PDB file of all heavy atoms in Angstrom:
ATOM      1  N   GLY U   1      14.815 -26.541   1.255  1.00 96.00           N
ATOM      2  CA  GLY U   1      13.744 -25.765   0.643  1.00 96.00           C
ATOM      3  C   GLY U   1      12.366 -25.943   1.263  1.00 96.00           C
ATOM      4  O   GLY U   1      11.382 -25.388   0.768  1.00 96.00           O
ATOM      5  N   ALA U   2      12.262 -26.694   2.356  1.00 97.00           N
ATOM      6  CA  ALA U   2      10.953 -26.985   2.941  1.00 97.00           C
ATOM      7  C   ALA U   2      10.407 -25.798   3.725  1.00 97.00           C
ATOM      8  O   ALA U   2      11.143 -25.097   4.427  1.00 97.00           O
ATOM      9  CB  ALA U   2      11.052 -28.191   3.866  1.00 97.00           C
ATOM     10  N   ASP U   3       9.093 -25.592   3.594  1.00 97.00           N
ATOM     11  CA  ASP U   3       8.401 -24.627   4.443  1.00 97.00           C
ATOM     12  C   ASP U   3       8.021 -25.263   5.778  1.00 97.00           C
ATOM     13  O   ASP U   3       8.181 -24.656   6.838  1.00 97.00           O
ATOM     14  CB  ASP U   3       7.135 -24.114   3.754  1.00 97.00           C
ATOM     15  CG  ASP U   3       7.434 -23.328   2.492  1.00 97.00           C
ATOM     16  OD1 ASP U   3       8.270 -22.414   2.568  1.00 97.00           O
ATOM     17  OD2 ASP U   3       6.841 -23.633   1.437  1.00 97.00           O
ATOM     18  N   TYR U   4       7.490 -26.481   5.708  1.00 98.00           N
ATOM     19  CA  TYR U   4       7.047 -27.204   6.902  1.00 98.00           C
ATOM     20  C   TYR U   4       7.693 -28.583   6.922  1.00 98.00           C
ATOM     21  O   TYR U   4       7.792 -29.249   5.880  1.00 98.00           O
ATOM     22  CB  TYR U   4       5.527 -27.381   6.910  1.00 98.00           C
ATOM     23  CG  TYR U   4       4.748 -26.099   6.998  1.00 98.00           C
ATOM     24  CD1 TYR U   4       4.347 -25.425   5.849  1.00 98.00           C
ATOM     25  CD2 TYR U   4       4.406 -25.558   8.236  1.00 98.00           C
ATOM     26  CE1 TYR U   4       3.631 -24.241   5.919  1.00 98.00           C
ATOM     27  CE2 TYR U   4       3.679 -24.378   8.317  1.00 98.00           C
ATOM     28  CZ  TYR U   4       3.303 -23.722   7.160  1.00 98.00           C
ATOM     29  OH  TYR U   4       2.586 -22.554   7.239  1.00 98.00           O
ATOM     30  N   VAL U   5       8.101 -29.011   8.105  1.00 98.00           N
ATOM     31  CA  VAL U   5       8.641 -30.364   8.280  1.00 98.00           C
ATOM     32  C   VAL U   5       7.822 -31.057   9.361  1.00 98.00           C
ATOM     33  O   VAL U   5       7.722 -30.570  10.487  1.00 98.00           O
ATOM     34  CB  VAL U   5      10.129 -30.331   8.694  1.00 98.00           C
ATOM     35  CG1 VAL U   5      10.644 -31.758   8.930  1.00 98.00           C
ATOM     36  CG2 VAL U   5      10.966 -29.627   7.624  1.00 98.00           C
ATOM     37  N   PHE U   6       7.225 -32.197   8.997  1.00 98.00           N
ATOM     38  CA  PHE U   6       6.432 -32.997   9.923  1.00 98.00           C
ATOM     39  C   PHE U   6       7.216 -34.259  10.256  1.00 98.00           C
ATOM     40  O   PHE U   6       7.428 -35.111   9.387  1.00 98.00           O
ATOM     41  CB  PHE U   6       5.091 -33.380   9.293  1.00 98.00           C
ATOM     42  CG  PHE U   6       4.152 -32.224   9.072  1.00 98.00           C
ATOM     43  CD1 PHE U   6       4.269 -31.427   7.938  1.00 98.00           C
ATOM     44  CD2 PHE U   6       3.158 -31.936   9.985  1.00 98.00           C
ATOM     45  CE1 PHE U   6       3.406 -30.364   7.722  1.00 98.00           C
ATOM     46  CE2 PHE U   6       2.292 -30.877   9.783  1.00 98.00           C
ATOM     47  CZ  PHE U   6       2.417 -30.084   8.646  1.00 98.00           C
ATOM     48  N   MET U   7       7.644 -34.382  11.497  1.00 98.00           N
ATOM     49  CA  MET U   7       8.427 -35.540  11.921  1.00 98.00           C
ATOM     50  C   MET U   7       7.486 -36.641  12.392  1.00 98.00           C
ATOM     51  O   MET U   7       7.149 -36.749  13.577  1.00 98.00           O
ATOM     52  CB  MET U   7       9.412 -35.140  13.021  1.00 98.00           C
ATOM     53  CG  MET U   7      10.377 -36.255  13.423  1.00 98.00           C
ATOM     54  SD  MET U   7      11.319 -36.867  12.009  1.00 98.00           S
ATOM     55  CE  MET U   7      12.167 -38.265  12.728  1.00 98.00           C
ATOM     56  N   CYS U   8       7.065 -37.481  11.439  1.00 97.00           N
ATOM     57  CA  CYS U   8       6.168 -38.608  11.736  1.00 97.00           C
ATOM     58  C   CYS U   8       6.919 -39.936  11.818  1.00 97.00           C
ATOM     59  O   CYS U   8       6.346 -40.939  12.240  1.00 97.00           O
ATOM     60  CB  CYS U   8       5.089 -38.726  10.663  1.00 97.00           C
ATOM     61  SG  CYS U   8       4.102 -37.244  10.436  1.00 97.00           S
ATOM     62  N   ALA U   9       8.163 -39.952  11.399  1.00 95.00           N
ATOM     63  CA  ALA U   9       8.938 -41.192  11.391  1.00 95.00           C
ATOM     64  C   ALA U   9       9.305 -41.597  12.811  1.00 95.00           C
ATOM     65  O   ALA U   9       9.719 -40.771  13.618  1.00 95.00           O
ATOM     66  CB  ALA U   9      10.204 -41.024  10.563  1.00 95.00           C
ATOM     67  N   ALA U  10       9.135 -42.883  13.105  1.00 90.00           N
ATOM     68  CA  ALA U  10       9.506 -43.409  14.421  1.00 90.00           C
ATOM     69  C   ALA U  10       9.492 -44.921  14.364  1.00 90.00           C
ATOM     70  O   ALA U  10       8.747 -45.526  13.595  1.00 90.00           O
ATOM     71  CB  ALA U  10       8.546 -42.918  15.501  1.00 90.00           C
ATOM     72  N   ASN U  11      10.311 -45.515  15.202  1.00 79.00           N
ATOM     73  CA  ASN U  11      10.266 -46.961  15.390  1.00 79.00           C
ATOM     74  C   ASN U  11       9.238 -47.226  16.482  1.00 79.00           C
ATOM     75  O   ASN U  11       9.466 -46.922  17.646  1.00 79.00           O
ATOM     76  CB  ASN U  11      11.644 -47.479  15.803  1.00 79.00           C
ATOM     77  CG  ASN U  11      11.689 -48.992  15.887  1.00 79.00           C
ATOM     78  OD1 ASN U  11      10.662 -49.655  15.911  1.00 79.00           O
ATOM     79  ND2 ASN U  11      12.891 -49.528  15.949  1.00 79.00           N
ATOM     80  N   THR U  12       8.070 -47.755  16.107  1.00 66.00           N
ATOM     81  CA  THR U  12       6.988 -47.997  17.064  1.00 66.00           C
ATOM     82  C   THR U  12       6.603 -49.471  17.051  1.00 66.00           C
ATOM     83  O   THR U  12       6.927 -50.205  16.122  1.00 66.00           O
ATOM     84  CB  THR U  12       5.755 -47.158  16.722  1.00 66.00           C
ATOM     85  OG1 THR U  12       5.256 -47.552  15.426  1.00 66.00           O
ATOM     86  CG2 THR U  12       6.095 -45.678  16.689  1.00 66.00           C
ATOM     87  N   SER U  13       5.875 -49.883  18.087  1.00 58.00           N
ATOM     88  CA  SER U  13       5.452 -51.286  18.161  1.00 58.00           C
ATOM     89  C   SER U  13       4.415 -51.447  19.247  1.00 58.00           C
ATOM     90  O   SER U  13       4.104 -50.509  19.989  1.00 58.00           O
ATOM     91  CB  SER U  13       6.646 -52.200  18.443  1.00 58.00           C
ATOM     92  OG  SER U  13       7.250 -51.829  19.664  1.00 58.00           O
ATOM     93  N   GLY U  14       3.877 -52.665  19.355  1.00 57.00           N
ATOM     94  CA  GLY U  14       2.887 -52.976  20.360  1.00 57.00           C
ATOM     95  C   GLY U  14       3.502 -53.516  21.637  1.00 57.00           C
ATOM     96  O   GLY U  14       4.719 -53.505  21.833  1.00 57.00           O
ATOM     97  N   ALA U  15       2.619 -54.022  22.505  1.00 55.00           N
ATOM     98  CA  ALA U  15       3.032 -54.451  23.848  1.00 55.00           C
ATOM     99  C   ALA U  15       4.059 -55.575  23.816  1.00 55.00           C
ATOM    100  O   ALA U  15       4.991 -55.593  24.632  1.00 55.00           O
ATOM    101  CB  ALA U  15       1.801 -54.890  24.639  1.00 55.00           C
ATOM    102  N   ALA U  16       3.909 -56.514  22.887  1.00 60.00           N
ATOM    103  CA  ALA U  16       4.810 -57.672  22.865  1.00 60.00           C
ATOM    104  C   ALA U  16       6.245 -57.257  22.595  1.00 60.00           C
ATOM    105  O   ALA U  16       7.183 -57.725  23.249  1.00 60.00           O
ATOM    106  CB  ALA U  16       4.342 -58.677  21.816  1.00 60.00           C
ATOM    107  N   VAL U  17       6.440 -56.367  21.612  1.00 61.00           N
ATOM    108  CA  VAL U  17       7.791 -55.924  21.270  1.00 61.00           C
ATOM    109  C   VAL U  17       8.376 -55.081  22.399  1.00 61.00           C
ATOM    110  O   VAL U  17       9.551 -55.222  22.753  1.00 61.00           O
ATOM    111  CB  VAL U  17       7.780 -55.128  19.943  1.00 61.00           C
ATOM    112  CG1 VAL U  17       9.158 -54.544  19.660  1.00 61.00           C
ATOM    113  CG2 VAL U  17       7.337 -56.036  18.795  1.00 61.00           C
ATOM    114  N   ILE U  18       7.573 -54.190  22.965  1.00 63.00           N
ATOM    115  CA  ILE U  18       8.052 -53.362  24.077  1.00 63.00           C
ATOM    116  C   ILE U  18       8.484 -54.237  25.249  1.00 63.00           C
ATOM    117  O   ILE U  18       9.493 -53.978  25.906  1.00 63.00           O
ATOM    118  CB  ILE U  18       6.959 -52.376  24.516  1.00 63.00           C
ATOM    119  CG1 ILE U  18       6.717 -51.339  23.420  1.00 63.00           C
ATOM    120  CG2 ILE U  18       7.345 -51.674  25.817  1.00 63.00           C
ATOM    121  CD1 ILE U  18       5.581 -50.384  23.704  1.00 63.00           C
ATOM    122  N   GLU U  19       7.734 -55.302  25.492  1.00 66.00           N
ATOM    123  CA  GLU U  19       8.042 -56.205  26.600  1.00 66.00           C
ATOM    124  C   GLU U  19       9.361 -56.945  26.373  1.00 66.00           C
ATOM    125  O   GLU U  19      10.188 -57.080  27.272  1.00 66.00           O
ATOM    126  CB  GLU U  19       6.897 -57.215  26.759  1.00 66.00           C
ATOM    127  CG  GLU U  19       7.041 -58.130  27.950  1.00 66.00           C
ATOM    128  CD  GLU U  19       6.252 -57.651  29.160  1.00 66.00           C
ATOM    129  OE1 GLU U  19       5.647 -56.579  29.102  1.00 66.00           O
ATOM    130  OE2 GLU U  19       6.274 -58.351  30.161  1.00 66.00           O
ATOM    131  N   LYS U  20       9.562 -57.413  25.129  1.00 68.00           N
ATOM    132  CA  LYS U  20      10.708 -58.269  24.840  1.00 68.00           C
ATOM    133  C   LYS U  20      11.968 -57.473  24.504  1.00 68.00           C
ATOM    134  O   LYS U  20      13.069 -57.846  24.900  1.00 68.00           O
ATOM    135  CB  LYS U  20      10.377 -59.219  23.695  1.00 68.00           C
ATOM    136  CG  LYS U  20       9.301 -60.246  24.024  1.00 68.00           C
ATOM    137  CD  LYS U  20       8.979 -61.113  22.823  1.00 68.00           C
ATOM    138  CE  LYS U  20       7.876 -62.125  23.121  1.00 68.00           C
ATOM    139  NZ  LYS U  20       7.515 -62.922  21.921  1.00 68.00           N
ATOM    140  N   THR U  21      11.809 -56.399  23.755  1.00 68.00           N
ATOM    141  CA  THR U  21      12.979 -55.647  23.286  1.00 68.00           C
ATOM    142  C   THR U  21      12.754 -54.146  23.468  1.00 68.00           C
ATOM    143  O   THR U  21      12.626 -53.406  22.493  1.00 68.00           O
ATOM    144  CB  THR U  21      13.272 -55.951  21.801  1.00 68.00           C
ATOM    145  OG1 THR U  21      12.082 -55.674  21.030  1.00 68.00           O
ATOM    146  CG2 THR U  21      13.669 -57.388  21.605  1.00 68.00           C
ATOM    147  N   PRO U  22      12.698 -53.657  24.703  1.00 71.00           N
ATOM    148  CA  PRO U  22      12.363 -52.248  24.946  1.00 71.00           C
ATOM    149  C   PRO U  22      13.363 -51.264  24.361  1.00 71.00           C
ATOM    150  O   PRO U  22      13.006 -50.131  24.032  1.00 71.00           O
ATOM    151  CB  PRO U  22      12.328 -52.159  26.473  1.00 71.00           C
ATOM    152  CG  PRO U  22      13.174 -53.302  26.954  1.00 71.00           C
ATOM    153  CD  PRO U  22      12.950 -54.398  25.959  1.00 71.00           C
ATOM    154  N   LEU U  23      14.621 -51.673  24.200  1.00 78.00           N
ATOM    155  CA  LEU U  23      15.626 -50.743  23.704  1.00 78.00           C
ATOM    156  C   LEU U  23      15.489 -50.451  22.211  1.00 78.00           C
ATOM    157  O   LEU U  23      16.143 -49.537  21.699  1.00 78.00           O
ATOM    158  CB  LEU U  23      17.030 -51.299  23.981  1.00 78.00           C
ATOM    159  CG  LEU U  23      17.431 -51.353  25.457  1.00 78.00           C
ATOM    160  CD1 LEU U  23      18.806 -51.988  25.600  1.00 78.00           C
ATOM    161  CD2 LEU U  23      17.410 -49.969  26.086  1.00 78.00           C
ATOM    162  N   VAL U  24      14.627 -51.191  21.520  1.00 75.00           N
ATOM    163  CA  VAL U  24      14.452 -50.984  20.089  1.00 75.00           C
ATOM    164  C   VAL U  24      13.938 -49.580  19.784  1.00 75.00           C
ATOM    165  O   VAL U  24      14.121 -49.058  18.691  1.00 75.00           O
ATOM    166  CB  VAL U  24      13.514 -52.058  19.493  1.00 75.00           C
ATOM    167  CG1 VAL U  24      12.066 -51.815  19.897  1.00 75.00           C
ATOM    168  CG2 VAL U  24      13.635 -52.108  17.970  1.00 75.00           C
ATOM    169  N   HIS U  25      13.336 -48.938  20.768  1.00 78.00           N
ATOM    170  CA  HIS U  25      12.769 -47.611  20.543  1.00 78.00           C
ATOM    171  C   HIS U  25      13.708 -46.463  20.887  1.00 78.00           C
ATOM    172  O   HIS U  25      13.327 -45.301  20.741  1.00 78.00           O
ATOM    173  CB  HIS U  25      11.495 -47.447  21.396  1.00 78.00           C
ATOM    174  CG  HIS U  25      10.383 -48.340  20.991  1.00 78.00           C
ATOM    175  ND1 HIS U  25       9.628 -49.041  21.887  1.00 78.00           N
ATOM    176  CD2 HIS U  25       9.903 -48.671  19.776  1.00 78.00           C
ATOM    177  CE1 HIS U  25       8.724 -49.753  21.248  1.00 78.00           C
ATOM    178  NE2 HIS U  25       8.878 -49.543  19.973  1.00 78.00           N
ATOM    179  N   VAL U  26      14.920 -46.778  21.326  1.00 90.00           N
ATOM    180  CA  VAL U  26      15.754 -45.715  21.882  1.00 90.00           C
ATOM    181  C   VAL U  26      16.712 -45.108  20.849  1.00 90.00           C
ATOM    182  O   VAL U  26      16.506 -43.992  20.370  1.00 90.00           O
ATOM    183  CB  VAL U  26      16.535 -46.220  23.113  1.00 90.00           C
ATOM    184  CG1 VAL U  26      17.441 -45.125  23.658  1.00 90.00           C
ATOM    185  CG2 VAL U  26      15.564 -46.680  24.201  1.00 90.00           C
ATOM    186  N   THR U  27      17.775 -45.814  20.510  1.00 93.00           N
ATOM    187  CA  THR U  27      18.881 -45.203  19.762  1.00 93.00           C
ATOM    188  C   THR U  27      18.457 -44.648  18.413  1.00 93.00           C
ATOM    189  O   THR U  27      18.713 -43.479  18.098  1.00 93.00           O
ATOM    190  CB  THR U  27      20.015 -46.226  19.578  1.00 93.00           C
ATOM    191  OG1 THR U  27      20.413 -46.718  20.855  1.00 93.00           O
ATOM    192  CG2 THR U  27      21.199 -45.574  18.884  1.00 93.00           C
ATOM    193  N   GLY U  28      17.805 -45.470  17.600  1.00 93.00           N
ATOM    194  CA  GLY U  28      17.425 -45.020  16.261  1.00 93.00           C
ATOM    195  C   GLY U  28      16.520 -43.806  16.283  1.00 93.00           C
ATOM    196  O   GLY U  28      16.698 -42.857  15.499  1.00 93.00           O
ATOM    197  N   ASN U  29      15.546 -43.796  17.188  1.00 95.00           N
ATOM    198  CA  ASN U  29      14.628 -42.666  17.257  1.00 95.00           C
ATOM    199  C   ASN U  29      15.332 -41.384  17.696  1.00 95.00           C
ATOM    200  O   ASN U  29      15.067 -40.300  17.157  1.00 95.00           O
ATOM    201  CB  ASN U  29      13.479 -42.973  18.225  1.00 95.00           C
ATOM    202  CG  ASN U  29      12.444 -43.903  17.609  1.00 95.00           C
ATOM    203  OD1 ASN U  29      12.223 -43.890  16.407  1.00 95.00           O
ATOM    204  ND2 ASN U  29      11.823 -44.716  18.441  1.00 95.00           N
ATOM    205  N   ILE U  30      16.210 -41.489  18.684  1.00 96.00           N
ATOM    206  CA  ILE U  30      16.932 -40.292  19.134  1.00 96.00           C
ATOM    207  C   ILE U  30      17.800 -39.725  18.007  1.00 96.00           C
ATOM    208  O   ILE U  30      17.846 -38.510  17.794  1.00 96.00           O
ATOM    209  CB  ILE U  30      17.792 -40.611  20.374  1.00 96.00           C
ATOM    210  CG1 ILE U  30      16.886 -40.790  21.600  1.00 96.00           C
ATOM    211  CG2 ILE U  30      18.811 -39.501  20.633  1.00 96.00           C
ATOM    212  CD1 ILE U  30      17.611 -41.190  22.861  1.00 96.00           C
ATOM    213  N   ILE U  31      18.476 -40.608  17.278  1.00 97.00           N
ATOM    214  CA  ILE U  31      19.317 -40.145  16.166  1.00 97.00           C
ATOM    215  C   ILE U  31      18.463 -39.465  15.098  1.00 97.00           C
ATOM    216  O   ILE U  31      18.790 -38.367  14.619  1.00 97.00           O
ATOM    217  CB  ILE U  31      20.115 -41.322  15.572  1.00 97.00           C
ATOM    218  CG1 ILE U  31      21.151 -41.824  16.575  1.00 97.00           C
ATOM    219  CG2 ILE U  31      20.787 -40.907  14.263  1.00 97.00           C
ATOM    220  CD1 ILE U  31      21.850 -43.094  16.150  1.00 97.00           C
ATOM    221  N   MET U  32      17.351 -40.100  14.713  1.00 97.00           N
ATOM    222  CA  MET U  32      16.479 -39.515  13.689  1.00 97.00           C
ATOM    223  C   MET U  32      15.951 -38.149  14.112  1.00 97.00           C
ATOM    224  O   MET U  32      15.989 -37.183  13.344  1.00 97.00           O
ATOM    225  CB  MET U  32      15.295 -40.438  13.395  1.00 97.00           C
ATOM    226  CG  MET U  32      15.623 -41.661  12.579  1.00 97.00           C
ATOM    227  SD  MET U  32      14.136 -42.512  11.970  1.00 97.00           S
ATOM    228  CE  MET U  32      13.469 -43.175  13.500  1.00 97.00           C
ATOM    229  N   ASN U  33      15.458 -38.069  15.340  1.00 98.00           N
ATOM    230  CA  ASN U  33      14.884 -36.808  15.811  1.00 98.00           C
ATOM    231  C   ASN U  33      15.939 -35.705  15.853  1.00 98.00           C
ATOM    232  O   ASN U  33      15.679 -34.562  15.455  1.00 98.00           O
ATOM    233  CB  ASN U  33      14.259 -37.003  17.188  1.00 98.00           C
ATOM    234  CG  ASN U  33      13.105 -37.990  17.176  1.00 98.00           C
ATOM    235  OD1 ASN U  33      12.482 -38.214  16.140  1.00 98.00           O
ATOM    236  ND2 ASN U  33      12.822 -38.581  18.324  1.00 98.00           N
ATOM    237  N   SER U  34      17.140 -36.046  16.323  1.00 98.00           N
ATOM    238  CA  SER U  34      18.224 -35.059  16.414  1.00 98.00           C
ATOM    239  C   SER U  34      18.633 -34.549  15.040  1.00 98.00           C
ATOM    240  O   SER U  34      18.763 -33.337  14.820  1.00 98.00           O
ATOM    241  CB  SER U  34      19.434 -35.675  17.112  1.00 98.00           C
ATOM    242  OG  SER U  34      19.114 -36.162  18.391  1.00 98.00           O
ATOM    243  N   LEU U  35      18.829 -35.484  14.118  1.00 98.00           N
ATOM    244  CA  LEU U  35      19.300 -35.099  12.794  1.00 98.00           C
ATOM    245  C   LEU U  35      18.256 -34.324  12.004  1.00 98.00           C
ATOM    246  O   LEU U  35      18.587 -33.388  11.261  1.00 98.00           O
ATOM    247  CB  LEU U  35      19.731 -36.342  12.012  1.00 98.00           C
ATOM    248  CG  LEU U  35      21.007 -37.032  12.509  1.00 98.00           C
ATOM    249  CD1 LEU U  35      21.272 -38.300  11.713  1.00 98.00           C
ATOM    250  CD2 LEU U  35      22.205 -36.092  12.436  1.00 98.00           C
ATOM    251  N   MET U  36      16.981 -34.684  12.159  1.00 98.00           N
ATOM    252  CA  MET U  36      15.937 -33.967  11.428  1.00 98.00           C
ATOM    253  C   MET U  36      15.761 -32.548  11.972  1.00 98.00           C
ATOM    254  O   MET U  36      15.542 -31.602  11.200  1.00 98.00           O
ATOM    255  CB  MET U  36      14.626 -34.743  11.497  1.00 98.00           C
ATOM    256  CG  MET U  36      14.573 -35.923  10.538  1.00 98.00           C
ATOM    257  SD  MET U  36      14.679 -35.411   8.798  1.00 98.00           S
ATOM    258  CE  MET U  36      13.105 -34.560   8.617  1.00 98.00           C
ATOM    259  N   LEU U  37      15.844 -32.380  13.276  1.00 98.00           N
ATOM    260  CA  LEU U  37      15.800 -31.031  13.837  1.00 98.00           C
ATOM    261  C   LEU U  37      16.977 -30.191  13.327  1.00 98.00           C
ATOM    262  O   LEU U  37      16.805 -29.033  12.908  1.00 98.00           O
ATOM    263  CB  LEU U  37      15.831 -31.100  15.362  1.00 98.00           C
ATOM    264  CG  LEU U  37      14.502 -31.341  16.067  1.00 98.00           C
ATOM    265  CD1 LEU U  37      14.738 -31.811  17.501  1.00 98.00           C
ATOM    266  CD2 LEU U  37      13.642 -30.084  16.056  1.00 98.00           C
ATOM    267  N   GLU U  38      18.157 -30.769  13.350  1.00 98.00           N
ATOM    268  CA  GLU U  38      19.348 -30.064  12.885  1.00 98.00           C
ATOM    269  C   GLU U  38      19.224 -29.669  11.417  1.00 98.00           C
ATOM    270  O   GLU U  38      19.505 -28.522  11.031  1.00 98.00           O
ATOM    271  CB  GLU U  38      20.577 -30.939  13.096  1.00 98.00           C
ATOM    272  CG  GLU U  38      21.883 -30.295  12.669  1.00 98.00           C
ATOM    273  CD  GLU U  38      23.058 -31.233  12.869  1.00 98.00           C
ATOM    274  OE1 GLU U  38      23.088 -32.306  12.221  1.00 98.00           O
ATOM    275  OE2 GLU U  38      23.942 -30.901  13.677  1.00 98.00           O
ATOM    276  N   ALA U  39      18.763 -30.610  10.601  1.00 98.00           N
ATOM    277  CA  ALA U  39      18.653 -30.353   9.161  1.00 98.00           C
ATOM    278  C   ALA U  39      17.592 -29.289   8.870  1.00 98.00           C
ATOM    279  O   ALA U  39      17.798 -28.403   8.033  1.00 98.00           O
ATOM    280  CB  ALA U  39      18.320 -31.648   8.427  1.00 98.00           C
ATOM    281  N   ALA U  40      16.455 -29.364   9.557  1.00 98.00           N
ATOM    282  CA  ALA U  40      15.392 -28.386   9.343  1.00 98.00           C
ATOM    283  C   ALA U  40      15.849 -26.993   9.762  1.00 98.00           C
ATOM    284  O   ALA U  40      15.533 -25.991   9.107  1.00 98.00           O
ATOM    285  CB  ALA U  40      14.137 -28.798  10.114  1.00 98.00           C
ATOM    286  N   TYR U  41      16.595 -26.924  10.845  1.00 98.00           N
ATOM    287  CA  TYR U  41      17.109 -25.630  11.314  1.00 98.00           C
ATOM    288  C   TYR U  41      18.089 -25.040  10.295  1.00 98.00           C
ATOM    289  O   TYR U  41      18.008 -23.859   9.949  1.00 98.00           O
ATOM    290  CB  TYR U  41      17.781 -25.794  12.671  1.00 98.00           C
ATOM    291  CG  TYR U  41      18.340 -24.512  13.217  1.00 98.00           C
ATOM    292  CD1 TYR U  41      17.487 -23.537  13.726  1.00 98.00           C
ATOM    293  CD2 TYR U  41      19.714 -24.273  13.222  1.00 98.00           C
ATOM    294  CE1 TYR U  41      17.998 -22.343  14.222  1.00 98.00           C
ATOM    295  CE2 TYR U  41      20.229 -23.084  13.718  1.00 98.00           C
ATOM    296  CZ  TYR U  41      19.366 -22.121  14.213  1.00 98.00           C
ATOM    297  OH  TYR U  41      19.871 -20.946  14.695  1.00 98.00           O
ATOM    298  N   GLU U  42      19.004 -25.876   9.811  1.00 98.00           N
ATOM    299  CA  GLU U  42      19.973 -25.407   8.822  1.00 98.00           C
ATOM    300  C   GLU U  42      19.284 -24.960   7.531  1.00 98.00           C
ATOM    301  O   GLU U  42      19.740 -24.033   6.858  1.00 98.00           O
ATOM    302  CB  GLU U  42      20.984 -26.513   8.513  1.00 98.00           C
ATOM    303  CG  GLU U  42      21.939 -26.804   9.670  1.00 98.00           C
ATOM    304  CD  GLU U  42      22.878 -27.962   9.372  1.00 98.00           C
ATOM    305  OE1 GLU U  42      22.745 -28.564   8.282  1.00 98.00           O
ATOM    306  OE2 GLU U  42      23.731 -28.270  10.223  1.00 98.00           O
TER     307      GLU U  42
END
């Protein structure tokens, strides 16, 4: 029933986390972005 969908959700962090665990930003974010686009389209 949404008119507008704002995708603000993301796994973000500062330099220390990016340096130590860079993959933390990959899988979860891609899944969220894909599913939200699909759901909004449907």
Side-chain angles (χ1 to χ4, degrees):
D3 295 309
Y4 296 91
V5 177
F6 292 83
M7 186 57 187
C8 303
N11 185 345
T12 63
S13 59
V17 174
I18 292 175
E19 185 97 356
K20 294 177 182 177
T21 55
L23 292 177
V24 73
H25 294 135
V26 178
T27 304
N29 283 329
I30 287 176
I31 292 172
M32 285 192 290
N33 297 337
S34 303
L35 290 176
M36 282 297 292
L37 277 162
E38 181 182 63
Y41 180 74
E42 290 177 357

